[in-house]
Amino acid sequence: MYHSATVGIAWAFGTNEHVCFMPHVQQRRHHNNNSNNKHQRQQQQQQQLQQRIESTEKAAYRVEHSEIYGRYLVANRELEAGELLIREQPVAIGPCVSCEPVCLGCYCPVGLEATQYRCPGCAFPLCGAKCRGLNRRDGHGANECETFGRQRARAADLLRVGVSPDLVRDLYELVMIVRIVLLRDAEPENYALIRRMESHTEQRRENLTLWQHYEQKVVRRLREEWQLGAEADELHEICGILDVNCFEIGQRGAKARTLYPSAFLLAHDCSPNTSHTDDPESFAIMLRTSRVVRERETLTLSYAYTLQGTLKRRSFIQGGKLFWCQCQRCADPRELGSDCSALVCPVQSCPRGSIRATAPLDQQADWACDRCDHRMSAANLERLLDRINDDLESIDVHNIPALENFLTRYQGVLRPNHYLLLSAKYSLCQIYGRIEGYLLPQMSPEDIARKERYCREFLKIIDLLEPGLTRLRGLIMYELHAPIMILAQLGMQSGRMTRQEFQRRIKEVVKLLEESTHILQMEPPGSSEHEMGLAAADALSKMRG
């Protein structure tokens, strides 16, 4: 489901990760079925989905329903790792809610300068006159162009150099909401499907800050200023549906948010059993199992960044999805063995002590050292993490010395597996060997060994939190193969490595390339990950002669 870029992980991963809303098998979705009519509509939709899903013998999954938790998907049989579960086109798509202007046709970044090409009808910035998304259902169509054109003075004409980032964000947030309202007449079946999605409207109404944001920024603007033919309750419900059910997608620089017909039904777990990607041409979602899934096991995605600490991860989920995650990972102070939230005890006489949550499912509980009596309040801890995160985000992602300095400065504050250090390490894994001055032929053996170490440390955590056929595992395995190969060759040439050790390392390289090829070639053609999968396959072919 939908997310915005928060905390350092998004900065480092350049992620298009999908964020959703449900913790563990027992937790499922927190729905409030406040009316019999709505319950009947959901039951009817469940039956329709069930018929579609079970149209083939022994389908991969089925829809289950709980009066308390709502609808969710479970494995209908044992599923192998890598099975394609869902491939479907978006029922609605639009720009993400951010301060960056994008083309309404293809969702690539655009500028606000006077020279930027604009739509002749509504004046919204476009990437060009031949944008592939013009007059397409998943892009900028005539119906919305006419609607935006009538509001040109209140919309596109305000998008100029020097405009406040908040206004840019507010205007682009309206685009998908308007598109959904227009579906009411243009595509009534899809509009009805969207309206049957969960909105958590009553819970949102109790959150005065959230409710007033949408009341002022969306509802009043569209009804009073734009004179859009939509009721206030309808607009509030659409806002809730987007917050709860949206996927954020994007390839090759494009970024969009989408609603899909059935993928939104996946439950949440902070160590999920599926992964997903999107087609850069069609915006279709492809959702696969990342490991073997037992029959009757709930199918899950992570609604937050997987490589984020529990305190921030749970807060993010509650802010958008209105529930506190209680999955196995969230309940474990050591986060399934990853320990990616642990800090160094600041007491000088306790250098080996680690600060962890005393009660991870209580956001207000103290954090305490495991070797002495030192304690830290959750509020103070969060302020510390925010300060370190701000420091990380201020660093140019291509500045290797600055990233290395960040690791050095905080190694006495954060334990090695802390998610903020992992974020910096992942960036270094990617840019060592790829930027001028640090290309592989230019790197010292010490820098190459450092890249290998960071890759191994990162892979160890991924194997705990995102095991199996996951994109991050494929990417980091590809990054890891090169330093192992180079150092093995240098070791043989210098005589410091035995032939047996050299052969062991070459076998490891082959295994890394085999698995990264398998994982990354499942990504859609045209994506950067698929291209890396092809490169891995080529390297493997050359090694095999």
Side-chain angles (χ1 to χ4, degrees), residues 52 84 110 116 127 135 167 203 254 429 442 489 493 510 517:
R52 184 168 76 245
L84 180 64
V110 294
Q116 177 66 48
C127 66
N135 299 312
L167 181 57
Q203 290 171 267
C429 288
Q442 301 170 328
Q489 291 172 335
Q493 291 169 4
V510 169
T517 296

Side-chain angles (χ1 to χ4, degrees), residues 148-443:
F148 295 148
R150 289 195 298 267
Q151 306 302 326
R152 179 169 175 166
R154 299 181 182 89
D157 284 351
L158 301 177
L159 294 172
R160 302 293 176 184
V161 173
V163 67
S164 74
D166 287 349
L167 181 57
V168 174
R169 182 194 62 228
D170 292 346
L171 288 174
Y172 276 97
E173 182 174 22
L174 298 177
V175 172
M176 192 169 181
I177 298 168
V178 170
R179 287 180 176 180
I180 291 174
V181 172
L182 294 177
L183 288 178
R184 187 176 53 200
D185 295 326
E187 300 177 20
E189 289 187 3
N190 283 333
Y191 177 78
L193 188 156
I194 291 171
R195 289 295 300 274
R196 288 194 294 267
M197 295 179 183
E198 183 56 58
S199 65
H200 292 311
T201 297
E202 294 308 313
Q203 290 171 267
R204 292 164 61 84
R205 196 187 301 271
E206 295 172 2
N207 186 327
L208 294 181
T209 301
L210 183 69
W211 190 263
Q212 284 302 312
H213 166 82
Y214 285 109
E215 177 69 22
Q216 296 172 12
K217 301 290 188 178
V218 176
V219 176
R220 291 181 183 176
R221 178 172 285 171
L222 291 181
R223 282 173 51 78
E224 298 172 10
E225 297 180 22
W226 288 37
Q227 297 293 304
L228 189 70
E231 296 297 323
D233 288 348
E234 175 188 7
L235 292 174
H236 272 297
E237 187 167 334
I238 290 172
C239 291
I241 287 168
L242 288 173
D243 278 353
V244 172
N245 301 283
C246 246
F247 288 69
E248 185 173 301
I249 67 169
Q251 301 276 5
R252 300 182 303 206
K255 287 181 65 177
R257 56 177 180 161
T258 55
L259 291 173
Y260 293 101
S262 57
F264 73 94
L265 289 169
L266 266 83
H268 164 79
D269 194 283
C270 291
S271 184
N273 56 24
T274 72
S275 61
H276 80 279
T277 189
D278 54 277
D279 190 309
E281 296 298 325
S282 67
F283 307 111
I285 190 172
M286 286 152 286
L287 192 143
R288 299 177 185 271
T289 53
S290 53
R291 59 170 174 79
V292 173
V293 178
R294 302 184 308 275
E295 184 176 356
R296 294 189 295 276
E297 183 179 345
T298 300
L299 295 171
T300 58
L301 275 174
S302 178
Y303 306 167
Y305 296 115
T306 307
L307 295 175
Q308 205 175 37
T310 294
L311 191 69
K312 288 292 187 179
R313 200 175 59 252
R314 294 185 79 237
S315 179
F316 173 78
I317 294 171
Q318 200 282 332
K321 314 308 171 188
L322 304 180
F323 76 89
W324 291 107
C325 181
Q326 300 182 51
C327 72
Q328 182 181 2
R329 177 183 171 192
C330 284
D332 180 5
R334 295 177 182 266
E335 300 194 42
L336 305 181
S338 67
D339 224 11
C340 64
S341 291
L343 291 83
V344 177
C345 180
V347 177
Q348 287 188 352
S349 60
C350 187
R352 298 179 62 188
S354 293
I355 305 290
R356 299 186 184 90
T358 57
L361 299 184
D362 180 357
Q363 292 291 102
Q364 307 305 317
D366 284 352
W367 286 52
C369 179
D370 61 356
R371 289 177 176 267
C372 73
D373 295 332
H374 181 77
R375 299 177 78 88
M376 179 183 295
S377 71
N380 285 339
L381 178 77
E382 195 153 14
R383 281 191 288 270
L384 173 63
L385 294 178
D386 287 343
R387 178 175 61 80
I388 298 174
N389 180 70
D390 289 343
D391 191 358
L392 178 60
E393 290 192 331
S394 71
I395 300 173
D396 183 340
V397 70
H398 297 103
N399 190 335
I400 287 179
L403 289 169
E404 290 286 3
N405 180 259
F406 175 87
L407 295 178
T408 300
R409 283 186 289 120
Y410 290 108
Q411 65 182 357
V413 179
L414 308 173
R415 284 298 175 199
N417 291 347
H418 195 279
Y419 70 91
L420 289 172
L421 295 185
L422 287 175
S423 180
K425 289 176 183 178
Y426 183 70
S427 291
L428 288 166
C429 288
Q430 292 181 303
I431 59 178
Y432 267 130
R434 283 196 172 83
I435 62 173
E436 186 58 41
Y438 293 93
L439 298 174
L440 286 174
Q442 301 170 328
M443 288 171 65

